[in-house]
Amino acid sequence: MASRTIENYLKQLWLEQQDTRGKYVPMGKLAALVGVTAGTATTMVKAIADSGLAKYAPRAGVRLTRAGEQLALHVLRRHRLLELFLVEILGIDWSDAHAEAEELEHVISETVLARIDLLLGHPSVDPHGDPIPSSAGKLEAPKLCSLAELHTGNTTIIARIVDQSSEFLRFAQSSGLVPKAQVVIEHTNPQAGAISARPDGKEPVMLSMVAAAKFLVRPCAATRGKRRNK
Amino acid sequence: MASRTIENYLKQLWLEQQDTRGKYVPMGKLAALVGVTAGTATTMVKAIADSGLAKYAPRAGVRLTRAGEQLALHVLRRHRLLELFLVEILGIDWSDAHAEAEELEHVISETVLARIDLLLGHPSVDPHGDPIPSSAGKLEAPKLCSLAELHTGNTTIIARIVDQSSEFLRFAQSSGLVPKAQVVIEHTNPQAGAISARPDGKEPVMLSMVAAAKFLVRPCAATRGKRRNK
DNA sequence: TTTTATATTTTGAGTAATCAAAGTATTATT
DNA sequence: AATAATACTTTGATTACTCAAAATATAAAA
Ligand SMILES: [Mn+2]
Ligand SMILES: [Mn+2]
Ligand SMILES: [Mn+2]
Ligand SMILES: [Mn+2]
């Protein structure tokens, strides 16, 4: 039904409009994400809006309708199941899986996807810890906090990495900062804007606050000063 | 490099020009194989010829150059490895594998293909018994004879089925006429143009000569009347 | 409030692939 | 040899996607 081009627009739009209730995604942002010029994005978005998958507000931006979100979630499901499949079954490097899945997500049939899902045991997260939408288009989003929010001495487990670039993922892997790894916060230095985290059985790693924020963890250790339950 | 459209033209061209030394594939034939009108095929073929992948002779037809053949063989390799992968690893029905591979063959990367090849143990034939070209673009084509050439009482093993349509493949599977199956020729009736073949442990199957010719077998039993070595 | 900078939209044009229908060449039939 | 049938090519138009550059609206600065 939707072309591969449109599927890409929808997916990027979905990812971008998360955690922004009612806010519109600006055209420049979308264009950059999809990798086209702003003019191209404007034209495509108008076509997408005409087919009822998004609402377009000139000079303000664009936002998916319910139908658009559902379609986007199906693309996202294909993408994330494929990523896990590439890593788990074929042994592809997790830093390359994203780029590979970016192509495959548009040509895989429902039948093949169902077999992959079965083979993987109906998984709930992809290799980066990103949740996999159900075949019905439901997505459970557990609220996680990040490494940047923890304090010296805290111990936690990495649940998710929110940067798909292969450079960052290669760095994360070589440091041992991968999903399911246990890490201890050795030092925090708010003034310098950096922390030191030590993955279990590995060397401590220095992380800027920006980098630390890309690692989502569980359980979210209680913050030092203010505890909810006294 | 080559678009998915051109890859399809090249692959069909290669399949069609096999066993025809120097003969040109007529446009109408190619158009039917690719599923476009004759005019479209003419236009595309001229473009393909301009890029050096084929030689086009107006009103006569088209033939791949060496470069075109090499590219076609790489597409064919992807196609056949994917078919086997879909059947062996994902458990897709072999009658559907062809159609699935038809799409995937254009988006799979060299890296992923290499992992699939490894996982399958560098196979030499696909689920239909079709030989898989090497990564260097070499193809060994063993000469086989067909069920239609055998005689009453002959026993042989099915090596290859030369019809990709899912209806025919479903019939073949339900009859037990699949690659590696042993079959005995129970009756031949040249006048009626039909034979009766019995797969090991199955019911005998009636086959027209046209249908029988689609099953290639090995070993090729010596023909009854004239033996090469007396 | 006028001017300037930034973001967005519009316009005009191009590429890749396709079809329907009209035109042309090549065979086959009479 | 003239005619009819067939195969092939050409023409003109369409769809989907894209970009560069000009035009316009909005927000920021002076
Ligand atoms: Mn994609
Ligand atoms: Mn992912
Ligand atoms: Mn194909
Ligand atoms: Mn095959």
Side-chain angles (χ1 to χ4, degrees), chain B residues 4-5 7-9 11-12 75 79 98-106:
Chain B
R4 111 185 23 207
T5 302
E7 285 189 346
N8 280 332
Y9 278 79
K11 199 183 63 174
Q12 294 303 337
V75 181
H79 183 94
H98 179 75
E100 296 280 358
E102 200 59 51
E103 285 300 310
L104 287 166
E105 66 189 355
H106 309 293

Side-chain angles (χ1 to χ4, degrees), chain B residues 129-147:
Chain B
D130 300 321
I132 299 173
S134 75
S135 55
K138 293 279 169 211
L139 184 69
E140 52 174 291
K143 20 192 166 9
L144 303 166
C145 65
S146 82
L147 266 191

Side-chain angles (χ1 to χ4, degrees), chain A residues 35-74:
Chain A
V36 295
T37 63
T40 302
T42 301
T43 312
M44 283 307 296
V45 159
K46 284 203 273 193
I48 290 169
D50 284 347
S51 69
L53 298 170
K55 178 133 189 279
Y56 167 57
R59 310 250 164 207
V62 57
R63 210 180 153 82
L64 293 176
T65 60
R66 197 100 203 99
E69 281 180 348
Q70 280 308 110
L71 230 165
L73 281 167
H74 276 97

